[in-house]
Amino acid sequence: PGRPLSLADALALAGRSSESLRIAEAAVQRARGQFAQARAQGRPQLNSTVAYQRLLQNQFEAIQRYEAERAPPPLPGPTVEALCATRIAFGATDAERALAIAQSRSCEQGNGLGGFARAFASPNTFNLGLTGSQLLYAGGRVQAARGAAEAGRRSAEIGLTSARAQVQLDVATAYYDAALAQRLVQIAESSLVQTERAYRQTALAREQGTASEFDLLRARVTRDNQRPQLAQARGTREAAQL
């Protein structure tokens, strides 16, 4: 079933569902992005990189295995605590803790490679990079690109305004066409009622002998001609409302 629809409602509905408006709005967004891209060419450029690498096997493992195979067997007797494995007593002072930590850091790696292996064979590696650049001279290319992008953006905005005005014009035209078609149907219905009444009066006058047969025939033809006009007006109204 139909529902009452005002012109403001029709314009709001068209603004939400018009494909031409969506296309024009997308063109404006694209033009704005191109303008921002052209403007960014003359500004400083900063690039950052972050990389993480997990080493599953390093090149020093073969050397470690070779040294482990060549190492002499442990001598029998009590186990002597290595300096690198110093233990810190529970009640040690801050100076004793600092001395123990310094002794353990001064020890060499068990593989005999020391800090060399820690630097080039670490299992976890993080790389952070930051680069910057600034365009100093481009022969007017940046200004020309910016001007072209600005012109494209203004053109897209004008196109959006034009598309919005065209949609409003089309909706208003269709709305008033539907209103006019409804009014023409009412006029056609009134005309049919009048011609039907005139035909009945002429028929009654014919029975009383005050009207000729030609007058009766003319009234009937006028009434019958009004019926297709009413049907045409109703079809036009239906098409306009759709």
Side-chain angles (χ1 to χ4, degrees), residues 11 163-175:
L11 292 174
R164 186 178 291 112
Q166 185 63 42
V167 168
Q168 293 178 356
L169 176 61
D170 294 340
V171 171
T173 301
Y175 187 87

Side-chain angles (χ1 to χ4, degrees), residues 65-72:
R65 288 194 301 267
Y66 178 74
E67 291 185 354
E69 293 174 357
R70 293 184 57 188

Side-chain angles (χ1 to χ4, degrees), residues 200-214 216:
R200 291 179 180 179
Q201 292 178 356
T202 305
L204 182 59
R206 173 61 179 167
E207 292 177 358
Q208 295 177 357
T210 57
S212 63
E213 184 178 358
F214 176 76
L216 179 62

